[in-house]
Amino acid sequence: MEKVRCLIIGSGPAGYTAAIYTGRANISPVLYEGIQPGGQLTITTEVENFPGYPEGVTGPQMMEDMRQQALKFGAEIRSGVITSVDFSKAPYKLVVDGEKEIYSDTVIIATGASAKYLGLDDEKKYSGMGVSACATCDGFFYRNKTVAVVGGGDTACEEAIYLAGLAKQVYLIVRKPYLRASKIMQDRVLNHEKIKVLFEHNTVGLFGENGVEGAHVVKRKGEPDEERYDIAIDGFFLAIGHKPNSDVFKPYVNTDEVGYIITEGATPRTNVPGVFAAGDVADPTYRQAVCAAGSGCKAAIEAERYLSEHGL
Ligand code: NDP
């Protein structure tokens, strides 16, 4: 039976930062990379808002740097996905890839969240070439250009307003005849001179030679007065929600109705002693790499304290 003191699940900024801190604290952490090694940043291009990189850095490079830093301080990084857990008694049992069992005194859940996509083949085709699920990350590249945001919730409205501060024109593509967002966000969007809301519209495809140049949209799809046409855009932003990767932990760890792990106040403590959550899996609000890194640091410090308080 393998038993470790700290097991970190996930290899985004939260997981690696937790590994750097617990590694430096001589806890010999073991980190499982999960389904998408490096996390969401590996699907963005340039990262310009992470402090310390005045020239910017690519998402994959930044994650490789963090990985090397974690290795330097003694973290053991393994490929593998945690497929089930038993948090009913400590040390906690975790199952890797459906077969290997590992026990740990503390667990840091840093499994992130996955942006939802419409499921169009063109979203994959133009990934990193005009399709994005993060306006704060990629909006800057669309200064004075035309973009579309898909979604009618608070995130979509927020992203449309953010992009309207940079772009020439923003289309908000909403499938229903109304916005789901809060009243104040609706008002801001509907009264913004640069934002045009396309109610009752669905996107059915994207086109362009070397990147997105436009979208095929359908108005009132399936109705007798259905209308199909194209809009010219340079960027296509998805804002139809995120899914926190917390399903495996739900039998033991409290989550909100969407699945975000609930932590105690501003700490990364979950309802299970010695189990901590960091990064996007517990952050429905900010979802930024720098915030994830910060919460990974907090989780590591909490794990270290827990081990020492329990003489482990
Ligand atoms: P929501 O689930 O609130 O909204 C998702 C939106 O995407 C809805 O308009 C939905 O349409 C649309 N959508 C979903 N799937 C599709 C699809 N396949 N095709 C087209 N449209 C689709 O997610 P958000 O990320 O906006 O918000 C999550 C939570 O975070 C909410 O509680 C929100 O209030 C909160 N939040 C708060 C903020 C703030 O207060 N400043 C900022 C950001 C988020 P439909 O309405 O038809 O279902």
Side-chain angles (χ1 to χ4, degrees):
M1 173 184 111
E2 185 182 15
K3 152 88 192 346
V4 298
R5 296 172 74 206
C6 179
L7 192 132
I8 300 164
I9 314 168
S11 54
Y16 282 144
T17 305
I20 293 165
Y21 271 76
T22 47
R24 285 189 84 239
N26 255 348
I27 291 170
S28 309
V30 169
L31 179 150
Y32 278 94
E33 286 180 321
I35 296 165
Q36 188 178 28
Q40 290 182 74
L41 279 179
T42 57
I43 53 164
T44 58
T45 45
E46 195 79 0
V47 180
E48 293 181 330
N49 53 8
F50 199 94
Y53 292 96
E55 305 303 324
V57 59
T58 67
Q61 182 61 50
M62 188 165 90
M63 297 326 297
E64 181 53 27
D65 288 348
M66 287 193 192
R67 185 175 198 275
Q68 291 304 327
Q69 203 172 345
L71 287 170
K72 177 175 159 188
F73 293 115
E76 194 183 323
I77 298 174
R78 300 179 183 172
S79 60
V81 176
I82 302 300
T83 46
S84 66
V85 300
D86 182 354
F87 290 168
S88 62
K89 59 177 190 299
Y92 301 119
K93 182 169 102 176
L94 300 102
V95 178
V96 187
D97 297 331
E99 29 182 75
K100 179 186 158 60
E101 290 184 357
I102 180 166
Y103 289 79
S104 187
D105 295 319
T106 60
V107 176
I108 296 175
I109 301 169
T111 44
S114 307
K116 290 194 214 156
Y117 285 81
L118 297 172
L120 303 172
D121 287 341
D122 288 340
E123 288 170 317
K124 289 191 202 103
K125 181 174 167 191
Y126 294 105
S127 170
M129 295 165 64
V131 173
S132 168
C134 179
T136 331
C137 318
D138 298 327
F140 191 68
F141 304 111
Y142 298 92
R143 272 170 302 168
N144 301 320
K145 297 196 170 168
T146 301
V147 298
V149 177
V150 186
D154 280 317
T155 303
C157 291
E158 209 169 66
E159 304 229 331
I161 292 163
Y162 178 80
L163 289 166
L166 299 160
K168 186 168 66 185
Q169 152 123 61
V170 179
Y171 292 107
L172 184 60
I173 304 176
V174 184
R175 66 179 173 182
K176 294 228 174 97
Y178 56 86
L179 292 166
R180 179 200 285 235
S182 54
K183 181 80 176 64
I184 183 164
M185 296 302 275
Q186 293 192 25
D187 289 345
R188 281 188 203 156
V189 160
L190 294 168
N191 294 320
H192 200 297
E193 57 177 12
K194 281 198 199 167
I195 303 174
K196 181 167 183 198
V197 184
L198 304 177
F199 285 112
E200 294 183 271
H201 277 67
N202 280 281
T203 313
V204 290
L206 300 168
F207 59 90
E209 284 286 321
N210 296 309
V212 171
E213 289 172 15
H216 304 297
V217 296
V218 186
K219 186 178 178 188
R220 289 178 57 76
K221 198 169 174 211
E223 299 297 324
D225 57 350
E226 173 186 297
E227 234 180 278
R228 288 176 179 257
Y229 63 102
D230 293 344
I231 53 171
I233 51 169
D234 306 291
F236 184 74
F237 287 82
L238 281 312
I240 59 172
H242 281 75
K243 187 184 180 313
N245 301 317
S246 62
D247 287 353
V248 166
F249 313 105
K250 277 185 185 165
Y252 304 95
V253 174
N254 293 339
T255 64
D256 68 11
E257 66 282 0
V258 181
Y260 287 100
I261 294 178
I262 297 169
T263 57
E264 229 177 79
T267 77
R269 282 180 233 134
T270 70
N271 58 302
V272 183
V275 175
F276 307 97
D280 284 12
V281 74
D283 179 3
T285 316
Y286 302 108
R287 298 197 292 254
Q288 298 299 300
V290 67
C291 302
S295 70
C297 157
K298 289 188 196 175
I301 291 172
E302 288 282 347
E304 192 186 337
R305 285 192 186 145
Y306 178 92
L307 290 169
S308 101
E309 277 165 16
H310 291 78
L312 295 164

